[in-house]
Amino acid sequence: MKFISTRGKSEVSCSAMAIAKGLAEDGGLFVPEIFPQVSKEEFETMLNMDYAERACLVLKKYLEEYDEQELLSACKNAYSKFEDSDAAPIVKIDENLFIMELFHGPTLAFKDVALTLLPYLLRKGCDISGIKEEVLILVATSGDTGKAALEGFKDADGIKIMVFFPSEGVSDMQKTQMCTQEGNNVNVVAVNGNFDDCQTAVKNIFSSKEFNDSLKEKNVILSSANSMNFGRLVPQICYYFSAYCDLVNSQEISMGDKVNFVVPTGNFGNILAGYYAKQMGLPIDKLVCASNSNNVLSEFFASGTYDANREFFKTISPSMDILISSNLERLIFELSGRDASLTEVRMLELKKCGKYSISEKEKSVLNAEFFANYADEMTCKQTIQEFFEEFGYVLDPHTAVAVDVRNCFVDYSGNNKPTVVLSTASPYKFAHDVLFSLKGKAPNDAFVASDKLALETALPVPEQILSLKSKERRFTRVIEKGETFNAVLDFIAK
Ligand SMILES: *Cc1c(COP(=O)(O)O)cnc(C)c1O
């Protein structure tokens, strides 16, 4: 299957190359030339499969040139790193409300679902594409991608990984997770700035021909583990199918019934995977896009204008503190009827003026598929408290934002179809804020807060958190925004 760029000036002949390259050379994002369909028979077989087998079936539709048996072993290996080898277990909350817990992987965030598999997809992708150079993965992170990517890629053959995070823009636990990372091929640097600064710095490195040429002389090529890479996106499509199968198996729905998915959204990767699942034939009614106070997306859905010129808020759901939502480009491309030149114009406007608009017609298509709203900080904390009181279930702040927007959605639309909220992180990644929401006070130390949260809720502290306590902090470097190029060179020279 061919992969084309959203900006129309670049294409590759297969998924392996799209994954190996990460970003298209024209600055756009790779998208599949068509959306493969999942047949009725395949749905039926998927019902009796475990998570890894379901994932393999969905992945294989795009990853045609990957060997099926090998892909299946890679999935089994990746998902054996999750509790019960299930990357996406479903918890029933009430009649119509389900939570898909995507946080039982090595770093306790949904990004593990893709990043436990991406090293294989990328390594193999390079082999298939005949790329012999060493691969340097550059990651800009709002907290969770960084750790999940480091963990996924640590000690991977022929791959180095470097992570940039906003020095004051991640939770203490996220920082501890990243700065204690083990592995011989990893590097972690804090940047004085916010997530968008980190993301822009990484994008600038990718698009500097001069810099890439100089790397090439050193036998190094760049790739990306951010959700701009199709290899990040495609494993995320799988859990939408898996959730649906689980609901059919537990007789909550019948095959063919429509369900809603609610997604706490930042860079638009997770929810875009849901949109792709729908294009492949999964019976989805509405995709609900939940934002925090950085509500650039919900305003875009309401007004048709994407306007990133606004105050940036640091919230208790830091992985959604994003003003430039990269993957939206892939959706804009679809909305425009795959008009690459129009997409390019809009993305250049965004780069130059921080905003662009879509047509009324596109906006109505958008609103037929999606519902979008946001939850502010007060509401998020209140939701954590009320949800625990009512259901005895502990939400992390990102998932709480989603639960609140789900409630808005039901109030606004009266839509009471079965609804799956994607839970993207363990509450223990944000123990201080979760405990504060429940009790009105909480100790500052993340580990002390975790112990208290466990006492308060009877939810055990995950092993992944406990084991961090004794780990050495290996990375302490803080740089200015302008120093990212040099930081990369320093790392390569090592
Ligand atoms: C990354 C992340 C999100 C946002 O996902 P996108 O794919 O960037 O929209 C939400 N919640 C958590 C916990 C995350 O780590």
Side-chain angles (χ1 to χ4, degrees):
M1 181 188 300
K2 252 199 330 204
F3 279 71
I4 55 177
S5 164
T6 48
R7 305 203 187 166
K9 299 198 186 85
S10 174
E11 62 173 50
V12 289
S13 60
C14 61
S15 65
M17 290 177 86
I19 293 169
K21 280 179 182 287
L23 289 171
E25 266 146 27
D26 60 4
L29 305 181
F30 284 120
V31 295
E33 193 182 28
I34 52 146
F35 289 111
Q37 299 299 301
V38 173
S39 70
K40 242 191 153 133
E41 294 70 37
E42 286 171 322
F43 264 116
E44 296 290 341
T45 27
M46 234 192 278
L47 291 179
N48 299 316
M49 290 176 157
D50 66 19
Y51 187 84
E53 292 164 338
R54 287 173 183 168
C56 183
L57 190 151
V58 175
L59 289 165
K60 188 67 182 124
K61 304 235 157 226
Y62 293 97
L63 310 180
E64 292 167 324
E65 59 292 348
Y66 287 70
D67 177 79
E68 185 159 358
Q69 277 314 309
E70 206 183 281
L71 185 61
L72 180 61
S73 326
C75 290
K76 288 204 185 286
N77 178 41
Y79 300 128
S80 70
K81 295 171 183 153
F82 285 69
E83 229 172 271
D84 303 324
S85 296
D86 186 353
I90 301 277
V91 177
K92 180 169 181 171
I93 301 294
D94 72 11
E95 203 48 43
N96 288 318
L97 179 62
F98 304 85
I99 291 189
M100 170 154 60
E101 296 184 340
L102 297 170
F103 57 78
H104 294 291
T107 78
L108 304 172
F110 92 95
K111 295 184 173 75
D112 286 328
V113 181
L115 284 162
T116 47
L117 192 62
L118 187 61
Y120 163 76
L121 297 181
L122 188 72
R123 186 67 264 157
K124 199 73 201 170
C126 288
D127 295 348
I128 294 171
S129 323
I131 293 172
K132 303 248 176 333
E133 287 92 343
E134 183 173 44
V135 178
L136 173 63
I137 310 269
L138 293 182
V139 181
T141 184
S142 53
D144 291 331
T145 301
K147 178 60 184 179
L150 288 162
E151 197 57 36
F153 282 101
K154 75 170 175 210
D155 297 325
D157 263 353
I159 301 182
K160 279 186 165 169
I161 172 161
M162 180 158 194
V163 170
F164 296 99
F165 73 88
S167 68
E168 301 307 323
V170 301
S171 82
D172 281 347
M173 194 59 87
Q174 289 176 317
K175 202 183 271 191
T176 307
Q177 280 187 310
M178 287 189 279
C179 294
T180 57
Q181 179 63 45
E182 291 158 354
N184 295 322
N185 59 339
V186 303
N187 194 8
V188 178
V189 176
V191 177
N192 254 329
N194 61 33
F195 170 70
D196 290 302
D197 295 323
C198 296
Q199 182 159 259
T200 305
V202 166
K203 278 188 185 164
N204 287 342
I205 295 175
F206 269 99
S207 58
S208 164
K209 185 165 177 334
E210 202 188 332
F211 193 70
N212 280 275
D213 286 346
S214 78
L215 289 181
K216 212 144 194 184
E217 279 169 23
K218 301 186 171 79
N219 211 26
V220 174
I221 58 157
L222 295 177
S223 191
S224 138
N226 280 95
S227 54
M228 283 103 88
N229 191 324
F230 186 74
R232 258 293 291 285
L233 207 54
V234 65
Q236 295 176 181
I237 301 172
C238 306
Y239 45 71
Y240 288 90
F241 282 93
S242 181
Y244 194 90
C245 291
D246 285 349
L247 290 179
V248 171
N249 281 342
S250 58
Q251 296 177 349
E252 298 291 346
I253 58 170
S254 307
M255 192 53 103
D257 288 353
K258 287 194 168 179
V259 298
N260 305 309
F261 286 94
V262 186
V263 189
T265 297
N267 229 348
F268 213 77
N270 200 0
I271 194 166
L272 185 79
Y275 178 81
Y276 278 23
K278 188 172 181 181
Q279 307 311 306
M280 295 171 74
L282 188 67
I284 296 179
D285 191 31
K286 285 272 184 180
L287 288 160
V288 178
C289 174
S291 306
N292 65 22
S293 308
N294 295 296
N295 60 350
V296 59
L297 282 169
S298 54
E299 279 194 9
F300 168 66
F301 282 75
S303 70
T305 297
Y306 191 95
D307 188 353
N309 303 307
R310 61 180 61 227
E311 193 182 343
F312 178 88
F313 297 106
K314 210 163 109 44
T315 73
I316 60 169
S317 46
S319 299
M320 295 153 72
D321 289 347
I322 292 175
L323 294 183
I324 308 280
S325 221
S326 302
N327 266 297
L328 193 62
E329 178 167 347
R330 286 186 165 113
L331 182 67
I332 298 300
F333 177 71
E334 300 300 334
L335 286 178
S336 70
R338 300 202 142 198
D339 184 335
S341 35
L342 187 55
T343 306
E344 179 170 41
V345 168
R346 287 170 174 166
M347 292 305 127
L348 292 179
E349 276 174 49
L350 177 65
K351 189 161 186 192
K352 201 162 141 230
C353 317
K355 65 188 215 175
Y356 64 88
S357 298
I358 56 171
S359 70
E360 277 304 315
K361 191 170 147 235
E362 288 168 303
K363 197 180 117 189
S364 63
V365 176
L366 185 66
N367 286 301
E369 301 273 348
F370 294 87
F371 174 89
N373 210 330
Y374 78 101
D376 63 23
E377 294 292 271
M378 262 307 280
T379 314
C380 172
K381 288 177 189 161
Q382 230 168 351
T383 304
I384 292 175
Q385 205 262 332
E386 288 169 6
F387 207 77
F388 183 67
E389 218 135 86
E390 192 172 354
F391 303 110
Y393 186 97
V394 192
L395 297 168
D396 99 282
H398 304 77
T399 312
V401 165
V403 165
D404 179 66
V405 171
R406 180 261 176 179
N407 294 340
C408 293
F409 167 64
V410 173
D411 289 346
Y412 172 86
S413 67
N415 182 319
N416 60 5
K417 293 198 170 66
T419 296
V420 181
V421 171
L422 277 63
S423 177
T424 48
S426 157
Y428 283 101
K429 283 195 103 158
F430 309 94
H432 170 86
D433 293 317
V434 172
L435 188 60
F436 189 92
S437 306
L438 292 176
K439 302 299 293 177
K441 59 180 189 289
N444 279 325
D445 182 274
F447 291 108
V448 180
S450 296
D451 292 343
K452 272 226 151 89
L453 183 60
L455 277 177
E456 201 59 47
T457 62
L459 184 70
V461 185
E463 185 48 43
Q464 295 94 317
I465 296 279
L466 295 174
S467 67
L468 281 180
K469 269 191 205 175
S470 56
K471 284 193 180 152
E472 172 209 357
R473 268 182 195 261
R474 299 178 62 205
F475 302 101
T476 52
R477 187 168 176 202
V478 185
I479 64 168
E480 298 304 319
K481 285 181 239 174
E483 295 174 333
T484 43
F485 279 85
N486 281 336
V488 173
L489 290 177
D490 289 350
F491 180 45
I492 300 269
K494 269 189 203 158

